Amino acid sequence: MPETSRRHLLLGGAAVSAGALLTACTSNEPGNTGTVPAGSAAPADGDKHGTPVTIGFAGPQADHGWLNAINENAKRRAATYSDVTLEITEGSNDTAAQIGQVQTLINKKVDVLVVLPADGKALTQVGLQAMRAGIPVVNLDRIFASPQAYRCWIGGDNYGMGLNAGRFIGERLKDKPNATVVELAGMDSLELTKQRTQGFDDALKNYPNIRKVARQAADFTVESGQAKMAQLLQAQQKFDALWNHDDDQGVGALRAVAQAGRKDFLMVGGAGAKSAMDAIKADSGVLKATVLYPPTMAASAIDLARALGRKKGVGGLSELEIPASITLYSAVVTKENVDQYLPTGFN
């Protein structure tokens, strides 16, 4: 996952894909005014027919709800365009296998590549290979080690996830003396986890009455979420709020909470799973919000790739070229706005 930086274009509203939010990736053509909410089957612009573009898509293995949603968003968006052919790989978490898959797409001479690397640093060389071959690369989420390896990066804001989770909790607890919070993080071996924690800690600095008393790192799985949450609950007999980095591991965390019979705190999730949004809407348990890391970015990546293939700019911007970098916003989904975001929830 990329580090947050000022060079990223911050987009306000994670429920809207970048292509939709900016009106259209090719909407600089006369008479084109189409917009579309993310998660729908309609394309991001009204011009469905144009120069044929073959897009190669290579992502990691869909062994997680969010990663599966990435693949589905890409396929659904590509299917809305009659001028787009999508060459999609099987997906692999094995770096060597994914490099081979990308090289196969390069050898097929696809017009544009969209790559969500299992390991951004390890796949940098194959990104450079594609760019040198004249195939523009849209780097999706996990960033390559060199900006020369991609034409455009689009992804989520991990620091912003933590920041907005901390702000939500802070506002809910700002009037409570000596409030305490705990954190159920993701995999500590990943830079994205460190960024989420840093954002959370920085937000809490604005609330001197709140203290973080415990943190456990899980593995983005239901099983690890349940095990690590059980440990937190046993060690902390009382706390006021929990931030869980990932809604998939949150399923396990909620099981542990139910087994312990705990209802004395509020919980904030992360990523935007449909199960989390359903629980937030029902408002019958501890889960009160989730901070989005929208998989709709894959649909927007297809929009951007199509624009690159057709040598078009992005509607809504004055520049003739698409941006070099787009960072999506980590919106907070609550009971008050959950209906707006439900269509983007993933299984």
Side-chain angles (χ1 to χ4, degrees), residues 5-310:
S5 65
R6 292 182 180 178
R7 65 188 176 85
H8 290 160
L9 173 64
L10 292 174
L11 300 184
V16 183
S17 70
L21 183 64
L22 296 174
T23 304
C25 284
T26 57
S27 65
N28 50 345
E29 298 178 356
N32 188 350
T33 60
T35 59
V36 63
S40 71
D45 61 35
D47 177 23
K48 300 180 185 180
H49 314 290
T51 305
V53 178
T54 299
I55 299 172
F57 183 89
Q61 184 178 345
D63 55 0
H64 180 277
W66 187 85
L67 290 172
N68 183 64
I70 283 285
N71 290 343
E72 292 304 310
N73 270 275
K75 288 188 284 188
R76 282 198 300 266
R77 181 66 94 200
T80 65
Y81 295 119
S82 62
D83 53 23
V84 168
T85 298
L86 188 67
E87 293 274 354
I88 189 165
T89 66
E90 184 177 346
S92 176
N93 289 330
D94 179 83
T95 298
Q98 193 179 26
I99 289 172
Q101 290 169 350
V102 176
Q103 287 175 331
T104 296
L105 292 171
I106 294 171
N107 292 336
K108 287 185 176 181
K109 294 181 169 54
V110 297
D111 297 307
V112 189
L113 270 171
V114 176
V115 182
L116 198 165
D119 183 323
K121 183 178 180 180
L123 267 82
T124 297
Q125 286 302 315
V126 79
L128 288 167
Q129 181 184 340
M131 293 289 286
R132 290 176 186 138
I135 301 173
V137 177
V138 177
N139 181 193
L140 182 57
D141 201 44
R142 299 174 189 168
I143 199 165
F144 292 137
S146 168
Q148 296 184 66
Y150 59 89
R151 167 59 184 82
C152 175
W153 174 86
I154 179 170
D157 184 359
N158 288 291
Y159 179 86
M161 280 186 76
L163 194 69
N164 288 343
R167 285 172 174 167
F168 177 84
I169 289 172
E171 287 302 302
R172 293 290 291 266
L173 300 180
K174 64 182 179 182
D175 296 324
K176 184 177 178 61
N178 302 314
T180 56
V181 300
V182 298
E183 180 182 7
L184 184 63
M187 298 174 65
D188 269 341
S189 60
L190 299 177
E191 183 64 25
L192 70 93
T193 300
K194 300 172 186 176
Q195 291 170 0
R196 292 178 186 184
T197 291
Q198 186 63 58
F200 187 61
D201 290 346
D202 286 352
L204 292 181
K205 291 175 184 177
N206 296 310
Y207 304 93
N209 64 306
I210 301 175
R211 181 168 54 100
K212 187 169 76 172
V213 294
R215 180 184 184 275
Q216 282 278 6
D219 297 321
F220 293 131
T221 65
V222 173
E223 294 76 18
S224 68
Q226 184 170 355
K228 296 298 184 178
M229 189 67 225
Q231 292 176 23
L232 275 174
L233 291 168
Q234 187 173 12
Q236 302 296 324
Q237 294 300 310
K238 189 178 185 307
F239 55 87
D240 299 296
L242 158 73
W243 182 43
N244 161 56
H245 286 206
D246 177 74
D247 286 335
D248 271 22
Q249 70 184 26
V251 173
L254 287 169
R255 287 178 185 170
V257 170
Q259 289 172 355
R262 296 282 292 271
K263 299 179 180 179
D264 56 325
F265 61 90
L266 70 91
M267 175 177 171
V268 176
K274 185 178 182 299
S275 61
M277 293 190 196
D278 287 340
I280 291 165
K281 184 170 183 174
D283 196 23
S284 58
V286 298
L287 185 60
K288 302 301 181 184
T290 187
V291 186
L292 296 187
Y293 200 84
T296 51
M297 66 178 71
S300 298
I302 296 298
D303 293 336
L304 292 165
R306 178 175 179 258
L308 282 168
R310 300 181 67 204

